[in-house]
Amino acid sequence: MILFISDLHLSPRSPGATALFLDFLAGRARQARALYILGDLFEAWIGDDDIDDPFNARIVAALRQASDAGLAIHLMHGNRDFLIGPAFAAAAGIRLLPDPYDLTLPEWSFVLSHGDLLCLDDTAYQAVRARVRTSEWQTRMLARPRFLRRLIARYFRWRSRNAPRVAYADLNPAATDDFLRDHAYATLIHGHTHHPETHDHIVDGIHVERWVLADWHEDRGECLAWDGETLRREIVRPENRP
Ligand SMILES: [Mn+2]
């Protein structure tokens, strides 16, 4: 069994969602052999030197415990936590994945992504994305003192909450078709848009599925479970506590 989750947006300000995730990691996830977290595990990540923050330390310890118990945890960057680096991966016992990532299993082929790289219609966002993903920008950012990075992260969260936005940008259809073609018509699993749905694409006459993961809330999370034959959605609720 392989599980996929995305967009947990963990933060000290969402204790319910954090508890739900920690329970999931200690319970349901232990029945799987691998867990793929497809970005935005954290609402914000200001650098691996912040691992000693008490909230972050709790999450790292829980990941480490699950990993030590035999769960292979893979993590992809989202647009909120793209500063997660090798020190975090080593402390948490997880593996960082590139975006996109081709997951080729004996039974089926998947391609995993956070999803934001295909939201090309949001040109303002894509401009910011291109800038903050350069090593120059990241080196400069990580050299700033932590309090300043916290302020900057808070400002970005405030700005994204208050941005005048007609609708949450969705994936660009033509770019998505090209992407699916480039990835040999593998089943695409992604998050980011917070619009959980299973889409059918016909690319070059081939039927390709695109599964969009839901984001997590105080009382509800979601995972996709692959048992070697079928992919299905599972709701994660507080009452499912082991
Ligand atoms: Mn995102």
Side-chain angles (χ1 to χ4, degrees), residues 6-7 9 38-40 77-81 114-116 125 168 191-194:
S6 177
D7 297 276
H9 294 271
L38 303 185
D40 288 350
H77 289 138
N79 51 301
R80 302 305 194 100
D81 55 10
H114 181 56
D116 57 321
Y125 168 69
Y168 224 136
H192 180 64
T193 62
H194 302 184

Side-chain angles (χ1 to χ4, degrees), residues 79-143:
N79 51 301
R80 302 305 194 100
D81 55 10
F82 60 89
L83 283 177
I84 288 177
F88 175 91
I94 59 136
R95 185 160 80 103
L96 280 174
L97 297 181
D99 183 359
Y101 178 76
D102 292 297
L103 175 63
T104 310
L105 303 172
E107 330 76 57
W108 200 252
S109 292
F110 296 95
V111 56
L112 314 178
S113 178
H114 181 56
D116 57 321
L117 57 85
L118 290 170
C119 295
L120 296 178
D121 300 325
D122 192 344
T123 49
Y125 168 69
Q126 290 298 333
V128 172
R129 185 181 195 275
R131 195 157 50 88
V132 302
R133 298 300 179 101
T134 60
S135 57
E136 292 79 15
W137 187 91
Q138 297 191 0
T139 306
R140 208 152 23 90
M141 178 59 81
L142 292 172

Side-chain angles (χ1 to χ4, degrees), residues 1-4 105 107-108 110 224-231:
M1 181 80 69
I2 297 179
L3 301 177
F4 304 91
L105 303 172
E107 330 76 57
W108 200 252
F110 296 95
L224 290 184
W226 169 254
D227 62 5
E229 266 178 44
T230 53
L231 194 59

Side-chain angles (χ1 to χ4, degrees), residues 36-233:
Y36 289 83
I37 307 171
L38 303 185
D40 288 350
L41 171 63
F42 292 98
E43 173 71 0
W45 189 259
I46 62 164
D48 285 0
D49 55 343
D50 207 31
I51 285 175
D52 59 5
D53 166 86
F55 178 81
N56 295 337
R58 256 175 85 206
I59 307 297
V60 166
L63 289 165
R64 176 96 233 176
Q65 220 178 351
S67 150
D68 285 348
L71 178 68
I73 306 175
H74 309 264
L75 177 71
M76 186 175 274
H77 289 138
N79 51 301
R80 302 305 194 100
D81 55 10
F82 60 89
L83 283 177
I84 288 177
F88 175 91
I94 59 136
R95 185 160 80 103
L96 280 174
L97 297 181
D99 183 359
Y101 178 76
D102 292 297
L103 175 63
T104 310
L105 303 172
E107 330 76 57
W108 200 252
S109 292
F110 296 95
V111 56
L112 314 178
S113 178
H114 181 56
D116 57 321
L117 57 85
L118 290 170
C119 295
L120 296 178
D121 300 325
D122 192 344
T123 49
Y125 168 69
Q126 290 298 333
V128 172
R129 185 181 195 275
R131 195 157 50 88
V132 302
R133 298 300 179 101
T134 60
S135 57
E136 292 79 15
W137 187 91
Q138 297 191 0
T139 306
R140 208 152 23 90
M141 178 59 81
L142 292 172
R144 289 177 167 144
R146 268 204 264 187
F147 80 90
L148 190 55
R149 280 179 273 147
R150 283 209 185 91
L151 284 178
I152 293 168
R154 201 183 300 166
Y155 166 73
F156 274 107
R157 283 200 304 275
W158 173 84
R159 207 176 65 163
S160 77
R161 268 201 308 276
N162 294 284
R165 198 191 278 257
V166 187
Y168 224 136
D170 210 338
L171 278 67
N172 177 281
T176 303
D177 282 1
D178 285 344
F179 179 90
L180 295 173
R181 188 177 290 121
D182 289 347
H183 291 274
Y185 314 101
T187 298
L188 170 57
I189 303 176
H190 71 84
H192 180 64
T193 62
H194 302 184
H195 287 158
E197 205 173 336
T198 307
H199 299 271
D200 295 297
H201 291 256
I202 305 294
V203 188
D204 306 331
I206 297 165
H207 173 223
V208 189
E209 285 184 355
R210 174 165 69 90
W211 292 68
V212 188
L213 282 157
D215 54 325
W216 284 47
H217 297 270
E218 296 290 297
D219 56 346
R220 187 188 190 279
E222 186 196 68
C223 73
L224 290 184
W226 169 254
D227 62 5
E229 266 178 44
T230 53
L231 194 59
R232 61 195 167 73
R233 286 181 196 276

